[in-house]
Amino acid sequence: MKYIEIKEMKIPALGLGTWDLRGKHCTDAVLSALDFGYRHLDTAQMYANEERIGEALRRTDVPRKDIFLTTKIRPPRLAYGDVLESFAVSLDKLQTDYVDLLLIHWPSSKVPVSETIKAMNELQADKQVTHIGVSNFSVQQTREAMDASRTPIITNQVHYDPFRSQSQLLEFCIQNDIMLTAYSPLAKGRAVNNSKLQEIGEKYGKTAAQVTLRWLTQQNNVSAIPKAGTPDHQQENLNIFDFELSWEDMEKIFELHGGVFKKLRSLIGII
Ligand code: NAP
């Protein structure tokens, strides 16, 4: 496993996304992922599966302290009192005393970000939340969240895959020591059948999914949270840290969404 080093902490660069995992299938999927070595789980109030993830956390032999657990406050619950109330329910469902990361799931047009962050900072002071962050925020909105918070915003979780540029946000994240967490990293499965990604994979003996996840996690500050309910997919996705894409191949993948900005090349590690 590779770790992202952000603000003097280490976060597993590959996590398990859990959107759309429900019921017993969700608990079984989380348990198998933990058995394979996943130590980073991503859920949200909106996914309606915190209870099932809580059951997996209770049943696994992996100590809670070794798991980086993220949940997100859903948009209608972003007012101060709603954050505290809904987060208490989340903790109860997750059967844990704390989450490692609490995110604002989407920016709100109704509640000022400072109000939501005030509640999140209090949860941190109470040790119920270790770190906070945002999701689906623009650069400007991320700046506002940073200004409103007494503690660092450690991530912005956004849609990032080979067909979608996040150059501006990634530049901002690297410059401000923020992790960019790539959601829907496999483009909801579309990347798997892309002939260019398959072709690159053949050189390394890897699949298009593995090439995609390696491309993401090989960029500075980027982590990825592919969803995989199938154990074979979980294992395949984890098996990306024993090879390295050449800069030439990294660039070929950036070309799928229009190329990499000159300024970003050195920031993400392309010489
Ligand atoms: P994704 O991870 O890009 O794609 C998931 C799909 O790819 C599933 O159908 C999965 O199948 C398949 N898959 C996974 N590994 C594969 C492999 N090695 N080979 C072939 N197919 C494979 O899409 P996503 O679920 O939208 O995004 C991932 C996570 O990001 C979510 O689960 C959620 O945690 C998070 N997310 C966050 C937001 C937000 O607003 N913050 C929005 C969307 C998603 P199986 O399940 O059958 O294995």
Side-chain angles (χ1 to χ4, degrees):
M1 176 65 70
K2 177 188 166 187
Y3 291 84
I4 305 279
E5 293 188 25
I6 294 286
K7 305 201 194 293
E8 294 174 10
M9 74 188 114
K10 288 169 90 180
I11 300 169
L14 194 86
L16 181 76
T18 66
W19 176 76
D20 212 23
L21 288 174
R22 299 277 162 78
K24 183 178 177 305
H25 178 50
C26 177
T27 306
D28 290 347
V30 172
L31 283 170
S32 80
L34 289 169
D35 276 352
F36 288 135
Y38 283 78
R39 292 294 180 267
H40 175 171
L41 303 174
D42 181 83
T43 182
Q45 293 174 347
M46 209 181 256
Y47 303 167
N49 63 11
E50 288 175 314
E51 226 157 1
R52 292 304 183 154
I53 289 167
E55 193 185 331
L57 291 174
R58 181 176 56 78
R59 282 173 47 192
T60 182
D61 292 335
V62 179
R64 172 67 187 87
K65 68 174 177 46
D66 293 348
I67 300 169
F68 188 87
L69 176 65
T70 302
T71 195
K72 315 182 193 82
I73 305 281
R74 63 193 171 98
R77 309 306 309 268
L78 293 174
Y80 174 82
D82 289 343
V83 172
L84 299 181
E85 199 182 310
S86 70
F87 181 72
V89 175
S90 288
L91 270 194
D92 195 41
K93 287 182 177 169
L94 289 164
Q95 303 194 40
T96 181
D97 296 335
Y98 71 99
V99 300
D100 298 86
L101 179 58
L102 181 65
L103 303 182
I104 300 177
H105 203 147
W106 287 88
S108 169
S109 54
K110 296 190 183 118
V111 181
V113 72
S114 54
E115 179 176 334
T116 309
I117 297 260
K118 181 174 185 278
M120 293 166 83
N121 282 165
E122 284 180 18
L123 291 170
Q124 283 184 287
D126 278 355
K127 308 249 183 277
Q128 295 179 62
V129 169
T130 312
H131 306 290
I132 65 167
V134 295
S135 179
N136 299 299
F137 275 42
S138 65
V139 167
Q140 181 54 29
Q141 288 165 333
T142 310
R143 260 201 203 103
E144 284 163 19
M146 288 161 73
D147 289 346
S149 183
R150 292 198 306 259
T151 60
I153 298 296
I154 71 152
T155 195
N156 188 356
Q157 184 182 120
V158 294
H159 189 170
Y160 189 24
D161 67 36
F163 316 111
R164 179 180 289 256
S165 172
Q166 286 293 358
S167 296
Q168 280 187 336
L169 183 65
L170 182 54
E171 182 185 339
F172 177 80
C173 285
I174 293 172
Q175 285 168 342
N176 289 278
D177 199 20
I178 292 173
M179 175 168 72
L180 189 156
T181 308
Y183 77 62
S184 304
L186 299 173
K188 294 188 176 289
R190 185 157 77 96
V192 170
N193 299 315
N194 181 275
S195 57
K196 268 209 176 147
L197 295 168
Q198 286 172 338
E199 202 178 291
I200 292 171
E202 276 167 25
K203 278 202 260 176
Y204 301 90
K206 295 288 178 182
T207 65
Q210 290 171 319
V211 166
T212 301
L213 297 173
R214 178 71 211 190
W215 170 75
L216 286 163
T217 56
Q218 208 170 302
Q219 297 171 45
N220 288 339
N221 291 46
V222 178
S223 65
I225 47 166
K227 175 254 178 183
T230 316
D232 283 354
H233 289 164
Q234 292 180 350
Q235 214 167 5
E236 181 180 325
N237 295 348
L238 202 55
N239 192 11
I240 58 166
F241 298 110
D242 58 351
F243 79 113
E244 193 170 352
L245 291 166
S246 67
W247 298 130
E248 197 186 27
D249 288 331
M250 289 287 285
E251 294 226 43
K252 275 191 201 154
I253 301 171
F254 275 106
E255 278 158 20
L256 292 173
H257 65 242
V260 57
F261 286 173
K262 205 171 168 200
K263 199 168 164 200
L264 195 59
R265 286 169 60 97
S266 59
L267 286 174
I268 58 174
I270 296 184
I271 303 138

